[in-house]
Every structure is written in structure tokens, then in C-alpha cells.
Amino acid sequence: MKIDSSRCVDCFNCISSCPKGGLQFKAVSPFKHQETAALKTDEPKVKANESRRAFFAAGATIAASFPFISTLAQRMRHGKKDGKCKGDGCCNGKGKHGNHKHKPNGLPLVPPGAISIERFKDVCTGCQICVTRCPSHVLKPSGLEYGFDYMLKPHMAYIDSYCNYECTVCSEVCPTHAIKPLTKEEKATTQVGVATFCINRCIVNTEGTDCGACSEHCPTQAVHMVPFKGTLTIPEVNPDLCIGCGGCESICPVRPMRAIFVQPNKIQKFVEKPKEEEIKKVEIDDFGF
Ligand code: SF4
Ligand code: SF4
Ligand code: SF4
């Protein structure tokens, strides 16, 4: 049997479905003309999971530095996982201008429709179709975010983009329903995480300047500006309206750690749809505003 590699989407369903354990992954040298997968009927059975693990382990070795870079990049944007509040006003003592949960929980952010992190880890095969089709390029292959055994399964990273409010592309193309099909209405009310605001990083507080970019780019108005000092206004997050789309995080100008970032939910929740007049069409120009 020969496998047409130009049509294979690397979903690996054939490996786990073959009752004889006859299909397995094989690293193929680009310089040798070998078959991309082999059917070995007279060799000992190789369990699908072992074969699959070996395949990823080989890939992991080749990309040894990638997971650490990916994980470090997330820490740079959000701050240290479970970092201690230094009492420096980051949560304003009483969480007045934030939701008092500013310490990154270190969880990966799964796309809307994944339902929960644990379910996604089990069902996703890491075929990367959603990654290549995501128009916003927020879906990225993971490093160590899910753990070593789950490397390359996609997670959402709001580096310079966000999950489009009306987009349901990944839920439409996922062949395994690791991302369940969602209507636009369901997508717009699925909460993948909640934005967390750190007043001690925000330039309105640290530099006494106007900003409000996060509020400008929030499609649900979950983050809105409230009076601060003098004529200045500062962001405040309503977690009941936030869907964790990352509009605020991706536009926040504070570096290296953003003053607002999305804290992932372990299990996705549903929020109420904002009133029509509150929904914003967000377009980012060349300058990010
Ligand atoms: S819903 Fe759309 S923008 Fe969001 S992650 Fe999926 S494909 Fe990307
Ligand atoms: S979520 Fe679906 S489309 Fe994306 S990598 Fe996993 S199985 Fe493939
Ligand atoms: S607060 Fe941020 S993450 Fe939440 S809905 Fe608004 S832009 Fe999206």
C-alpha cells in the first residue's frame, strides 16, 4: 500500500484506527527515495500511541529550542507565572482598577469551541489545518504549554493579532471536532479566557499620559475607561462581558510585559451577548490603532 502524502493532512486517524497496528510513522530522509509510510504486515505490531510518541519525540529533538522560545515569549508578554504581588499597586491593593487576578495562571489558551483544555489535548491530533487557515494568525503550534507529550498542538497567542469577533474558520475546518463547529452567535459568546489589567504597568498610571487603546479595540466593551487622576481615564474590565478575544492584549503598547492580557479558562464559559450598539467593528491600521 502506498500513501499519497500530497493529500495526507497528518490527522493520524489511520494510525489509531488500524486494528493490526500496521501503520506507523517513519522519518524519511529527503535525499532517499523511500515510501512516506510503510505497511508492515509481517513485523511485530507497534502500538499507535507509541509510534506517534516516537514521531513527536523525533520532531521535538529537531526543534529542541522552539518550545522554550515559545514558552519564554508567553512569559515575557504576561509576566512570571504565579508571580507574587509585590504590593506595588499592580492590583491596586483591592483590585479596584483590575480584577485582582493579575498573576498569569500559565495555562494555554485553546480556541473557541475547544470546550476545555483537557478535552482539546485528548481530541486534537495536531494536524495544523486550523493553524494554516486562521486568518488572524493567532493559532500557533505550541511548545511546552500543554506538556511535552502534546507539543505542536495549537494554542492561541495574541502577539500582534487577536481572535476575530465574527470568525469561525477553525471550528469549520477542524476534521476531528477538537474545535467544535460554532455559529457566529455561539462564537461571539464563548469565553476562552478573561482579560486581566495591571494598573502598575499601564502608561496612564506610570507616565500620566492618555491611552485607552485596549478599550478602543474591545469588541464587547468589556474593557472600558473610568475616571482616574484629573482628566485622565484608566481601563477597567467587566469579566462578565469579556470573551478573551485578545483585542486588548494585542494592542497594548506596554513592553515587555503587557498591562492587559488574557488569563485562559480551563473550561470555556458562555457570556451574554453585548447589546448591538455596544459591539464595535475593530480595524487595526498600519500603526496598530
Ligand atoms: S475563530 Fe478565527 S480568528 Fe479566532 S482562532 Fe479561530 S480561526 Fe483564528
Ligand atoms: S484543532 Fe483540529 S484542525 Fe487544529 S490541529 Fe487540532 S485536529 Fe487539526
Ligand atoms: S477585554 Fe480584551 S479580551 Fe476581553 S473582550 Fe475586550 S478586547 Fe477581548
Side-chain angles (χ1 to χ4, degrees):
M1 186 175 78
K2 201 170 176 182
I3 292 171
D4 181 355
S5 57
S6 65
R7 305 175 104 185
C8 170
V9 296
D10 294 335
C11 72
F12 309 132
N13 285 344
C14 57
I15 305 289
S16 48
S17 308
C18 177
K20 303 262 183 205
L23 282 163
Q24 58 180 276
F25 299 103
K26 223 177 168 186
V28 179
S29 160
F31 303 108
K32 286 184 188 170
H33 294 288
Q34 291 179 347
E35 290 181 355
T36 52
L39 177 67
K40 297 183 177 178
T41 49
D42 51 353
E43 284 187 10
K45 287 180 196 172
V46 179
K47 280 187 187 164
N49 278 347
E50 283 171 15
S51 172
R52 182 191 170 93
R53 198 160 287 175
F55 175 79
F56 279 119
T61 311
I62 294 163
S65 58
F66 169 70
F68 300 105
I69 293 168
S70 158
T71 310
L72 275 175
Q74 175 153 327
R75 288 214 185 146
M76 283 289 279
R77 288 196 312 279
H78 295 178
K80 207 171 150 197
K81 180 189 167 193
D82 293 332
K84 286 208 167 70
C85 176
K86 296 176 192 137
D88 54 3
C90 190
C91 61
N92 209 30
K94 297 168 188 151
K96 189 180 168 194
H97 291 297
N99 58 17
H100 205 46
K101 291 177 185 165
H102 60 280
K103 297 178 217 166
N105 60 19
L107 295 172
L109 194 60
V110 286
I115 300 179
S116 73
I117 296 174
E118 286 310 310
R119 177 187 173 274
F120 186 74
K121 278 161 65 180
D122 282 347
V123 184
C124 170
T125 58
C127 70
Q128 309 297 319
I129 293 177
C130 57
V131 174
T132 54
R133 294 289 299 276
C134 174
S136 307
H137 306 295
V138 296
L139 283 171
K140 314 266 184 208
S142 63
L144 296 175
E145 287 85 350
Y146 295 108
F148 186 77
D149 277 356
Y150 302 94
M151 270 173 57
L152 303 184
K153 300 203 176 194
H155 71 124
M156 300 213 286
Y158 301 137
I159 300 162
D160 51 13
S161 191
Y162 56 92
C163 183
N164 200 315
Y165 189 63
E166 295 197 324
C167 176
T168 54
V169 168
C170 58
S171 79
E172 287 158 23
V173 299
C174 177
T176 64
H177 285 191
I179 307 173
K180 291 195 108 185
L182 295 175
T183 61
K184 283 196 184 348
E185 181 103 353
E186 288 168 333
K187 159 68 195 295
T189 52
T190 301
Q191 185 192 66
V192 298
V194 181
T196 292
F197 174 58
C198 296
I199 193 172
N200 209 39
R201 296 180 193 158
C202 177
I203 55 171
V204 177
N205 184 36
T206 58
E207 294 175 20
T209 179
D210 277 323
C211 184
C214 52
S215 168
E216 283 286 306
H217 288 82
C218 178
T220 66
Q221 281 307 286
V223 57
H224 52 274
M225 305 304 281
V226 294
F228 186 51
K229 290 177 186 162
T231 55
L232 292 175
T233 55
I234 200 150
E236 190 171 78
V237 177
N238 178 353
D240 296 334
L241 285 179
C242 177
I243 53 170
C245 69
C248 53
E249 178 177 331
S250 64
I251 202 69
C252 176
V254 181
R255 298 290 183 278
M257 289 178 285
R258 314 266 162 120
I260 191 163
F261 62 88
V262 175
Q263 194 83 283
N265 286 347
K266 251 187 192 169
I267 299 172
Q268 295 180 345
K269 297 178 186 167
F270 288 97
V271 295
E272 272 186 38
K273 195 171 183 219
K275 291 179 196 122
E276 208 54 47
E277 63 269 21
E278 287 176 345
I279 298 173
K280 272 193 189 171
K281 287 253 180 257
V282 178
E283 279 172 23
I284 297 183
D285 62 21
D286 291 347
F287 298 99
F289 288 90

